[in-house]
Amino acid sequence: MTWNVHCPNGTDNERQRGIAELILKEDADFVLLNEYQQDSCRMTDSILKMRYPFTEECRSHRRSGDIFYSKREMTNSGYVGKTEKGKRKIIRTIKATIAIGCDSVQIFGFHLASNHYDGSTLEEELLNDTTSYDKYKDAQELRCSHAHWTKEAALRSRHPVILMGDMNDFNCSAPLDSFTINGFRDSWWEGGNGYGHTFHAGWMRLRIDHILHSEKLELKSIKVIDTDLSDHNPVVAGFSTKKE
């Protein structure tokens, strides 16, 4: 499961509890949360820890980060990261390996650079000097860089791989293509039903949260859950490992 929970400072306990209850209801083995901030997720964390005792966290953005919650013990966990030249911006991908039966799966979770949509109406967008499209193109260069070296780390893995998170971009965009042209499959294209938008703010309905996987895994199910608990909807996928 991957979900941008959008928890800035001052997130109220009622919403935190709702986030935790939705995650527990889905009962995924492994969960990635984007825009997770420790000080604003204390209740969510205390509830989830009862079912997900294993966690790994890293800061990926200025005010928030990413966290893995796992039912299974994680090995080789941590993050890979780099500083963008001339931008003083550290971008990171959180990673972990979990054992499933006699095999292991390596999972990479990340939050690619934001487009900074502000929920403006279409009319307001057209009147402003800087539209959402301008913001999108400005951020895509950074997303491409982040996607490139995440892909390189994933290709070096000797295990089946899952790549997931808020990628802030669309299918067939340059960042997503950097994964799919190297053999990683887009789960929604394989088994999704309909458009499956994951981001909802103002007039926008976008599918920018994704789960991709290597050919060593077989997709069993995938769905997007509609919720108003965040400006993103969670994506949940089920996999099995392929027998050689």
Side-chain angles (χ1 to χ4, degrees):
M1 179 179 188
T2 180
W3 190 8
N4 182 327
V5 291
H6 184 56
C7 283
N9 280 328
T11 301
D12 63 80
N13 286 343
E14 182 178 356
R15 187 160 82 87
Q16 287 190 57
R17 186 181 297 278
I19 288 169
E21 288 175 351
L22 188 152
I23 293 170
L24 294 178
K25 180 181 178 181
E26 290 305 312
D27 198 31
D29 288 330
F30 199 90
V31 179
L32 166 69
L33 300 182
N34 298 126
E35 290 191 19
Y36 176 97
Q37 190 168 15
Q38 276 286 5
D39 290 343
S40 296
C41 296
R42 294 185 186 277
M43 176 171 284
T44 299
D45 184 70
S46 65
I47 296 172
L48 293 180
K49 283 284 182 64
M50 292 185 286
R51 190 175 300 178
Y52 297 92
F54 304 105
T55 61
E56 182 67 39
E57 183 179 5
C58 83
R59 182 167 296 278
S60 60
H61 287 62
R62 186 160 54 94
R63 291 190 294 261
S64 62
D66 309 310
I67 188 169
F68 282 153
Y69 283 95
S70 178
K71 293 180 181 179
R72 305 169 187 268
E73 187 172 2
M74 294 182 283
T75 60
N76 191 30
S77 61
Y79 66 87
V80 291
K82 63 174 289 188
T83 302
E84 283 296 291
K85 292 181 179 179
K87 297 183 180 179
R88 295 184 179 179
K89 183 177 180 63
I90 300 174
I91 48 181
R92 294 171 175 170
T93 291
I94 189 173
K95 66 171 186 173
T97 304
I98 57 172
I100 300 178
C102 59
D103 203 349
S104 294
V105 174
Q106 189 159 35
I107 302 177
F108 294 85
F110 45 96
H111 184 184
L112 299 186
S114 174
N115 298 293
H116 298 294
Y117 297 134
D118 57 11
S120 299
T121 66
L122 182 58
E123 291 79 7
E124 290 169 335
E125 291 264 317
L126 294 173
L127 289 173
N128 291 335
D129 291 334
T130 302
T131 66
S132 290
Y133 178 75
D134 295 321
K135 297 175 183 177
Y136 168 79
K137 295 302 292 183
D138 287 344
Q140 193 178 68
E141 181 181 354
L142 187 56
R143 285 196 295 275
C144 285
S145 175
H146 191 165
H148 172 75
W149 56 258
T150 298
K151 170 208 68 180
E152 293 297 315
L155 288 173
R156 289 193 295 270
S157 177
R158 58 188 178 87
H159 302 297
V161 168
I162 294 173
L163 299 152
M164 62 182 182
D166 176 2
M167 302 187 191
N168 271 308
D169 225 320
F170 317 94
N171 293 100
C172 300
S173 64
L176 271 293
D177 278 352
S178 69
F179 298 122
T180 56
I181 64 176
N182 282 278
F184 295 102
R185 297 179 178 179
D186 186 313
S187 298
W188 191 261
W189 279 117
E190 282 191 283
N193 183 20
Y195 178 57
H197 75 268
T198 63
F199 177 75
H200 47 90
W203 58 274
M204 294 184 180
R205 297 293 183 270
L206 308 172
R207 184 158 64 85
I208 57 177
D209 302 81
H210 305 273
I211 299 177
L212 298 98
H213 66 94
S214 63
E215 294 183 357
K216 294 180 180 179
L217 293 171
E218 181 178 356
L219 179 72
K220 293 297 185 181
S221 63
I222 185 166
K223 64 180 178 180
V224 172
I225 302 167
D226 287 327
T227 178
D228 292 327
L229 288 166
S230 172
D231 56 357
H232 288 249
N233 294 327
V235 186
V236 184
F239 297 95
S240 66
T241 53
K242 290 182 178 180
K243 296 182 179 179
E244 299 294 337

